Amino acid sequence: MKELILIKDGEIALKGLNRRNFEDALMKNIRWRIAPLGSFEIRSAQSTIYVRPLSEEIDLDEAVERISKVFGIACFSRACIADKDMQSIQKAAVEYLKEDLESVSTFKVNAKRSDKSFPLNSPAICSQLGEYLLEQFPHLQVDVHNPELTVTVEVRDFGAYVRGGVIPGAGGIPVGTGGKAAILISGGIDSPVAAYMMAKRGVELTAIHFASPPYTSERAEEKVRQLLRRVAAYSGRIVMYTAPFSHIQEEIREKCPEELFTIIMRRMMMKISQRIAQANGCGALITGESLGQVASQTLQAIACTDAACTMPVFRPLIGMDKEEIIGISRKIDTFEISIQPYEDCCTVFTPRHPRTKPVLKFVEQAESAMDCQALIEEAVEQTKFIKIDDSFPG
């Protein structure tokens, strides 16, 4: 029996004159995500995207898993293809949904007839198919209000499709339609979640990580690469830049007040990140900060950090508590990696009593003890990059 996947978009329906651009981006992302599995026909018609495997060897279960992580999809379903006559539709429903129908006690039939040349209207399709299913499965009862299973028939221009349950999509809008931004990624819980949330809003991601050897290990960098691979399952390809940071941290420790170490460190990160982001066509920076979570995330500290760059800084977690963030990290399968005990550069030289309400002019005055421009140039020049991929080509 031939199967396909029927996809319904979400917010894209509200995009007015730009809707086609969003649909094209969504189909491109779907195509890239499932391309390693084999050849598919992907087309859009009548407010539905059709994904049809062109070979019986294709693993449709894996295709469903990959499509479930593509942003821009409200819901989707697997369906079988039937000829456009009631006998074929009835036979397909029994064969395709046999296991589901045997496992429930109540059902209803829902029909959508887009092809008006089909001789029966939607109520007639529901009536005939419902009667036939009751004959084939005598244990069933019809419940139009709260059925355990809804059998849906869609009679469209290209064929008749029979399906059962609907699978929730990832939501959001297609990656690539919201511009490009750089995520400052550590090995913690927060920044991978921030990356995921901005990708959900259509942002194409570049990642910037700061390494401080010998204070941090290669295992800490590998941890970040693993986190980005999990994010890339949703966002697509990510280019990860790793900037050396130990020299800068040593300079801050030697020349700046201890209580301002963290805020000056964050400011240097922002300056370096802005340089890398601009060179890669990014229009904003992204961080995983949540207001009040740590000393560097107070209103005053965030204001001092933002003053170090001219780019917009997006903080999608700013109003979330730790449990909410952890919940999303579990959902996207980054939590267990994030809690691995490999420390990142943010834990190096942590001050005993960090200043929670820094004043910008005093921070800038303390910062002036270093040759910041030379340190930034050195870090940018020594930055290396790799591509993090999950099914996307490139």
Side-chain angles (χ1 to χ4, degrees), residues 85-160:
D85 64 76
M86 280 309 300
Q87 185 175 359
S88 296
I89 291 171
Q90 290 168 343
K91 181 181 178 182
V94 170
E95 292 181 2
Y96 188 62
L97 300 175
K98 184 175 186 294
E99 187 175 323
D100 292 334
L101 289 164
E102 288 177 340
S103 66
V104 300
S105 58
T106 61
F107 82 106
K108 77 171 184 179
V109 177
N110 183 33
K112 300 177 181 180
R113 186 189 63 150
S114 300
D115 180 3
K116 301 307 179 184
S117 67
F118 192 75
L120 300 178
N121 61 20
S122 296
I125 294 171
C126 292
S127 176
Q128 288 197 21
L129 180 56
E131 289 178 5
Y132 185 79
L133 293 177
L134 287 172
E135 292 174 2
Q136 301 300 311
F137 302 92
H139 73 284
L140 287 176
Q141 291 183 327
V142 175
D143 184 343
V144 297
H145 299 295
N146 296 295
E148 294 176 71
L149 176 67
T150 298
V151 177
T152 300
V153 179
E154 299 187 28
V155 181
R156 296 180 173 268
D157 292 346
F158 305 102

Side-chain angles (χ1 to χ4, degrees), residues 187-328:
I189 296 170
D190 301 338
S191 52
V193 173
Y196 162 84
M197 292 183 69
M198 292 308 300
K200 189 173 183 179
R201 301 313 307 159
V203 173
E204 181 182 345
L205 299 174
T206 293
I208 302 172
H209 174 65
F210 292 91
S212 295
Y215 308 107
T216 59
S217 68
E218 172 59 31
R219 289 181 296 182
E221 284 190 55
E222 176 56 31
K223 176 183 174 181
V224 173
R225 290 192 286 268
Q226 289 179 20
L227 288 169
L228 287 175
R229 289 187 192 103
R230 297 293 170 87
V231 175
Y234 295 88
S235 69
R237 184 184 60 197
I238 302 172
V239 179
M240 172 186 165
Y241 289 84
T242 302
F245 206 59
S246 49
H247 185 199
I248 291 175
Q249 289 182 297
E250 289 166 349
E251 286 285 296
I252 298 171
R253 181 185 60 176
E254 292 175 12
K255 298 178 179 179
C256 301
E258 182 188 6
E259 67 271 16
L260 296 179
F261 179 92
T262 301
I263 190 65
I264 293 174
M265 179 186 72
R266 294 288 297 173
R267 283 170 55 84
M268 293 296 286
M269 287 180 172
M270 298 299 274
K271 292 176 182 181
I272 295 166
S273 296
Q274 178 168 267
R275 285 281 301 276
I276 297 170
Q278 288 173 335
N280 286 275
C282 297
L285 301 177
I286 306 165
T287 76
E289 291 164 302
S290 172
L291 186 63
Q293 189 175 124
V294 295
S296 64
Q297 296 175 17
T298 63
L299 282 174
Q300 295 87 344
I302 288 172
C304 286
T305 300
D306 279 0
C309 61
T310 57
M311 270 188 166
V313 181
F314 296 146
R315 295 178 170 91
L317 313 187
I318 195 70
M320 299 176 67
D321 62 37
K322 200 66 179 181
E323 287 306 310
E324 292 174 299
I325 298 168
I326 288 173
I328 297 173

Side-chain angles (χ1 to χ4, degrees), residues 61-100:
D61 290 335
E62 178 63 19
V64 165
E65 175 64 23
R66 291 175 181 235
I67 285 172
S68 72
K69 296 178 180 178
V70 176
F71 290 127
I73 298 174
C75 61
F76 64 100
S77 55
R78 293 174 69 154
C80 71
I81 304 171
D83 293 333
K84 288 199 288 186
D85 64 76
M86 280 309 300
Q87 185 175 359
S88 296
I89 291 171
Q90 290 168 343
K91 181 181 178 182
V94 170
E95 292 181 2
Y96 188 62
L97 300 175
K98 184 175 186 294
E99 187 175 323
D100 292 334

